Amino acid sequence: MTIEIIGTYAVAICLLIGSGFVAVGVIGLLKFNDSMTRLHAPTKVGTVGIGALLLASMAHSFVLGDSSIHEMLIMVFLFVTAPISANFIAKVNIHLRSCSAPPAPSNDIAWSTLNVSEEDREIAKLDPS
């Protein structure tokens, strides 16, 4: 077996894995009924799926003898921005109360919840921005 045949098999495997992950993400996006559960499928599964498809594109270009790192830049951008945007979307859903609020913490009443101390509320009322 030559390196081209092994590369072609690697590209095919990456394409199958990537398309499988993307299909699972799409099914999850359509099947879940809550915005917070709907958020989970495309961000987690879709990132891996698109990463595998981009990896297949990189492998294919290297098998043909070309060098292509544009896909690597896209993957880095995708892996950095997808969790951040998912976090912001989840925070908006929590603050709009469109989903159930997170459970109360065990030790601190203001950490990681929407509970705000009276001092902070007074400061927020004074701050016009």
Side-chain angles (χ1 to χ4, degrees):
M1 290 179 69
T2 63
I3 195 74
E4 289 86 14
I5 294 173
I6 294 171
T8 303
Y9 285 140
V11 168
I13 289 171
C14 285
L15 285 175
L16 287 174
I17 290 171
S19 60
F21 273 102
V22 169
V24 168
V26 168
I27 291 169
L29 181 66
L30 295 174
K31 185 143 176 90
F32 293 140
N33 50 5
D34 184 15
S35 61
M36 292 294 276
T37 56
R38 213 178 267 164
L39 177 67
H40 181 72
T43 55
K44 305 295 185 244
V45 176
T47 304
V48 175
I50 298 299
L53 293 175
L54 290 170
L55 189 64
S57 176
M58 283 177 54
H60 180 67
S61 66
F62 285 126
V63 165
L64 293 179
D66 298 332
S67 63
S68 176
I69 60 166
H70 295 97
E71 291 89 352
M72 183 64 76
L73 297 173
I74 294 169
M75 277 197 291
V76 167
F77 180 76
L78 180 70
F79 289 152
V80 168
T81 58
I84 295 170
S85 62
N87 188 6
F88 285 146
I89 292 170
K91 283 184 178 185
V92 166
N93 282 323
I94 289 172
H95 285 288
L96 291 177
R97 307 253 189 226
S98 63
C99 62
S100 61
S106 58
N107 296 334
D108 187 10
I109 62 169
W111 183 84
S112 182
T113 64
L114 298 177
N115 294 336
V116 180
S117 66
E118 289 299 323
E119 295 171 355
D120 290 340
R121 287 184 190 181
E122 292 299 325
I123 293 171
K125 287 180 186 177
L126 297 175
D127 187 20
S129 61

